[in-house]
Amino acid sequence: MEYIIQTNGLTKKIKEEELVSNINIHIKKGEIYGFLGQNGAGKTTVLKMLTGITSPSKGEILLFNEKLTEKNKSILTRVGSIIEYPVFFEHLTAFDNLKLHCEYLGFYDEQDINQALLLVNLKGIEGKIVKDFSLGMKQRLGIARAIITKPELIILDEPTNGLDPIGIKDMRNLIRMLNKEYGMTFVLSSHILGELEQIVDRVGVIHHGKLLNEMTLNDIRKERSDYIELVVTDVKHAVYLLEKDLHISNMKIIQDRKIRIYDMAHTQSEISRTLILHDIGIEEIQKHSNSLEDYFYQQINGGDLDD
Amino acid sequence: MIKLMRLEWKKLKQKSVIGEMICYPLILMFLPVFFIEAVSADFGQSYAAVIELNLFIQMGSILFGASLINQVFIDEYKNKTISLSFSYPFSRQKLFAAKIIFIALLVFLLTMASYLLTGVTTYVIDQIHPIINGDLTRSDIITFFSQMIFRSLIITVNSFIPLFYLGIWKRATVPTVICGVVAMNSHLSQMINLNFNLVLVVLCVVGSLSVFLSIITAENIGEM
């Protein structure tokens, strides 16, 4: 298995406070990896260490099977990134900012700058001072900067921040295109789980500075099937009827009056009809499709959305 | 390293820096005449005295150094563009060393140019409107040029006094400038009977230590 990123026991401490501890990430070549976590969970701290912005207090980072250290940062030429939010030299033009970035990486081709600007729909305003850009435009310019040298790995921290719905869709398409056509590996962090769900292959959930799990989206879907959830007036009687009349065995009583049915052989109307015919009141019935959001909440607090 | 220094220049608000580089010599070049005419004629008792006066006047370049520390270090931290630099394939020590050499070079060149310009301006004015007693001797000229290089070096080193603590550690703009102003007026130490040469040596040691600490602690203190 070829890993682009591997971390072993990655830990960051500031003044005795552990921001993240013992993080072991494994990101494969060519995949789109989603990094999930609440605000303050430690996502940005990990991403900052992966991009050389801060150094780990403990543990190691292997990028392209090469150890990233303060003394050996040459592998960062193969990485593009936006961490937190895109920062620029605001008094310079968009073009000058991109040119400066290329020069730092020992790479300069005016055509590539123009192509990157075209990909993020910023063509024609390259001569504009960045100070005059909106947040959305800065975000697009940040993406342009991250992809300009066609790096093998792109790390984007909250890449859809400040983008309008069309911008978000464009961004998604751009990431897909770069991943497919150029084989670029992406690490994306976002708090918009539905957004990530549409694009990532695998996710890692971080909570209170600890990596809880890494799983592919397919495995998440397999592991947790869809279910029908209903709130009834008489749980015991309802369960009895569901087993006897509808032969449903895969179900769970969640709370006093709430039942979760994982056996999807029967429709909501069949279930309702059976229960109503036996005078069981139904206060609520709803079909749930498992989403990344469910998985995320399950990981961080056992499925309780209110935490 | 040269490439990194060149890129430091590209990142700066160049017009503002060039403006400063023009203003400093323009102001300093008339100061010896001003001191002789408006403060005390004793400053013009000989060319040797005027050369000594010029040395004090050029300490003003330390303020230019403080301004560069603000732009090259503090502004990068405040605007968070320093995180961009840290994500490039260069160690923090190398990045900091490039920034320091870049500042040193500008301060040194400005001080030399300003020193020369002030000397020439004062001489020309004295030829038109005599204000200095005696003639310019060969020995004065040798002193002038040898001191030009030596004192420019001292001023350059002194300009780094605020770098480590106020610039990189505290990232404080105003205190950096105030520190520059204090270092610039170090000749006033003579008023409290301190040996100025000794004061200069102490300031050079502090400036050198500041540079040394800035580079060796770049990984820890220099972190975002």
Side-chain angles (χ1 to χ4, degrees):
Chain A
M1 185 69 64
E2 192 180 348
Y3 288 114
I4 290 265
I5 301 177
Q6 285 181 83
T7 67
N8 299 317
L10 199 61
T11 301
K12 181 71 183 175
K13 259 187 192 176
I14 290 184
K15 289 178 187 164
E16 295 310 306
E17 190 197 347
E18 251 180 28
L19 301 181
V20 294
S21 56
N22 200 27
I23 302 279
N24 299 304
I25 300 178
H26 302 88
I27 299 173
K28 293 173 205 157
K29 185 175 166 47
E31 76 176 346
I32 303 178
Y33 185 93
F35 203 34
L36 304 181
Q38 291 171 298
N39 288 339
K43 300 187 297 288
T44 302
T45 305
V46 173
L47 299 184
K48 276 184 174 175
M49 288 191 277
L50 294 181
T51 49
I53 295 172
T54 58
S55 309
S57 310
K58 226 163 65 184
E60 63 171 10
I61 299 168
L62 294 171
L63 295 181
F64 308 97
N65 289 320
E66 212 175 301
K67 198 171 170 182
L68 174 71
T69 63
E70 187 57 26
K71 297 275 180 290
N72 179 23
K73 290 174 97 178
S74 58
I75 24 175
L76 290 176
T77 48
R78 298 162 75 180
V79 182
S81 63
I82 302 181
I83 305 298
E84 282 185 307
Y85 52 86
V87 286
F88 296 97
F89 295 95
E90 304 246 331
H91 59 284
L92 299 179
T93 63
F95 188 88
D96 286 342
N97 268 287
L98 297 186
K99 191 174 157 190
L100 194 66
H101 173 76
C102 290
E103 287 187 61
Y104 264 106
L105 295 173
F107 171 101
Y108 180 63
D109 186 341
E110 201 166 308
Q111 266 194 334
D112 285 324
I113 296 179
N114 290 325
Q115 198 198 351
L117 287 166
L118 193 67
L119 281 172
V120 296
N121 292 330
L122 282 180
K123 196 79 195 87
I125 53 163
E126 58 268 36
K128 208 172 161 185
I129 303 283
V130 173
K131 197 168 70 180
D132 301 332
F133 277 27
S134 67
L135 179 60
M137 285 163 80
K138 281 184 187 170
Q139 195 73 25
R140 285 165 188 267
L141 187 61
I143 301 286
R145 185 171 58 195
I147 63 173
I148 199 165
T149 56
K150 308 242 170 24
E152 293 153 73
L153 168 66
I154 298 187
I155 298 174
L156 304 176
D157 190 10
E158 307 278 357
T160 51
N161 266 1
L163 293 180
D164 55 31
I166 294 170
I168 292 175
K169 190 167 172 261
D170 289 347
M171 172 80 70
R172 198 164 56 225
N173 292 338
L174 179 65
I175 291 172
R176 278 201 194 110
M177 186 276 282
L178 292 169
N179 176 251
K180 289 228 156 48
E181 287 189 19
Y182 295 93
M184 289 179 184
T185 306
F186 280 86
V187 179
L188 311 172
S189 84
S190 178
H191 61 274
I192 307 171
L193 302 176
E195 191 53 52
L196 276 186
E197 192 170 16
Q198 295 185 53
I199 195 167
V200 299
D201 302 314
R202 216 150 60 90
V203 290
V205 177
I206 185 169
H207 189 51
H208 292 322
K210 290 189 167 62
L211 188 71
L212 301 180
N213 207 354
E214 281 184 310
M215 242 178 155
T216 66
L217 231 53
N218 283 339
D219 287 342
I220 292 170
R221 286 184 191 121
K222 272 185 221 158
E223 192 177 87
R224 286 170 53 84
S225 56
D226 292 354
Y227 59 87
I228 293 169
E229 197 170 80
L230 64 159
V231 180
V232 292
T233 50
D234 185 346
V235 171
K236 277 187 185 168
H237 194 190
V239 169
Y240 171 75
L241 286 169
L242 292 171
E243 275 178 343
K244 187 174 154 279
D245 291 4
L246 298 176
H247 309 291
I248 296 171
S249 55
N250 191 3
M251 63 182 152
K252 200 157 84 178
I253 299 169
I254 301 296
Q255 286 162 9
D256 287 349
R257 295 188 299 139
K258 195 184 273 185
I259 305 168
R260 199 172 275 181
I261 301 166
Y262 295 102
D263 184 343
M264 301 298 284
H266 298 278
T267 63
Q268 286 183 69
S269 56
E270 283 171 336
I271 293 168
S272 305
R273 199 180 318 123
T274 306
L275 296 177
I276 289 165
L277 281 173
H278 291 84
D279 290 331
I280 294 175
I282 300 173
E283 290 175 7
E284 206 179 298
I285 182 160
Q286 206 174 3
K287 187 180 173 189
H288 287 265
S289 286
N290 265 304
S291 62
L292 184 57
E293 194 169 335
D294 295 319
Y295 171 73
F296 175 66
Y297 286 117
Q298 192 219 11
Q299 288 290 309
I300 64 166
N301 51 33
D304 185 358
L305 296 164
D306 299 329
D307 184 34
Chain B
M1 191 58 87
I2 291 168
K3 176 185 153 190
L4 287 177
M5 286 160 61
R6 196 172 50 81
L7 292 173
E8 283 303 326
W9 170 244
K10 285 194 171 185
K11 288 193 290 191
L12 280 183
K13 290 177 181 162
Q14 294 172 0
K15 282 181 189 163
S16 146
V17 177
I18 292 169
E20 278 188 68
M21 292 182 81
I22 293 169
C23 285
Y24 275 97
L26 278 181
I27 294 167
L28 299 182
M29 66 194 269
F30 296 109
L31 282 184
V33 176
F34 170 78
F35 273 97
I36 296 165
E37 293 278 40
V39 180
S40 167
D42 286 350
F43 287 121
Q45 60 185 305
S46 67
Y47 268 96
V50 177
I51 289 168
E52 191 62 22
L53 175 64
N54 191 14
L55 295 174
F56 294 133
I57 286 170
Q58 299 309 321
M59 296 288 276
S61 297
I62 291 176
L63 206 54
F64 176 61
S67 163
L68 285 177
I69 289 172
N70 272 323
Q71 295 182 61
V72 174
F73 280 96
I74 300 174
D75 282 356
E76 282 235 51
Y77 276 105
K78 286 191 172 163
N79 302 329
K80 299 214 170 188
T81 48
I82 197 86
S83 66
L84 255 188
S85 305
F86 291 165
S87 70
Y88 292 133
F90 305 100
S91 71
R92 258 162 266 199
Q93 286 194 344
K94 196 169 180 183
L95 287 167
F96 278 21
K99 283 176 183 288
I100 289 167
I101 298 171
F102 172 73
I103 294 173
L105 201 66
L106 284 193
V107 174
F108 182 72
L109 291 177
L110 178 84
T111 311
M112 292 256 288
S114 172
Y115 185 95
L116 188 65
L117 194 65
T118 307
V120 171
T121 308
T122 310
Y123 177 76
V124 170
I125 291 175
D126 183 53
Q127 297 309 302
I128 302 162
H129 168 69
I131 50 170
I132 303 167
N133 296 328
D135 293 323
L136 184 64
T137 64
R138 188 184 158 83
S139 145
D140 290 333
I141 294 171
I142 292 168
T143 307
F144 179 83
F145 283 105
S146 61
Q147 289 292 314
M148 180 172 81
I149 297 167
F150 182 61
R151 289 294 178 121
S152 295
L153 277 173
I154 288 176
I155 287 167
T156 304
V157 175
N158 284 358
S159 69
F160 286 112
I161 291 170
L163 177 67
F164 173 67
Y165 184 69
L166 298 172
I168 295 172
W169 196 342
K170 295 291 169 189
R171 296 157 201 177
T173 307
V174 177
T176 299
V177 175
I178 292 172
C179 181
V181 172
V182 172
M184 180 180 104
N185 289 299
S186 53
H187 60 276
L188 296 178
S189 59
Q190 291 170 111
M191 291 168 72
I192 50 169
N193 295 323
L194 284 177
N195 182 330
F196 179 58
N197 287 331
L198 186 67
V199 171
L200 270 187
V201 170
V202 171
L203 292 180
C204 281
V205 170
V206 175
S208 307
L209 195 66
S210 175
V211 169
F212 176 71
L213 289 173
S214 301
I215 292 176
I216 64 155
T217 64
E219 230 178 284
N220 305 316
I221 306 288
E223 196 159 272
M224 285 293 291

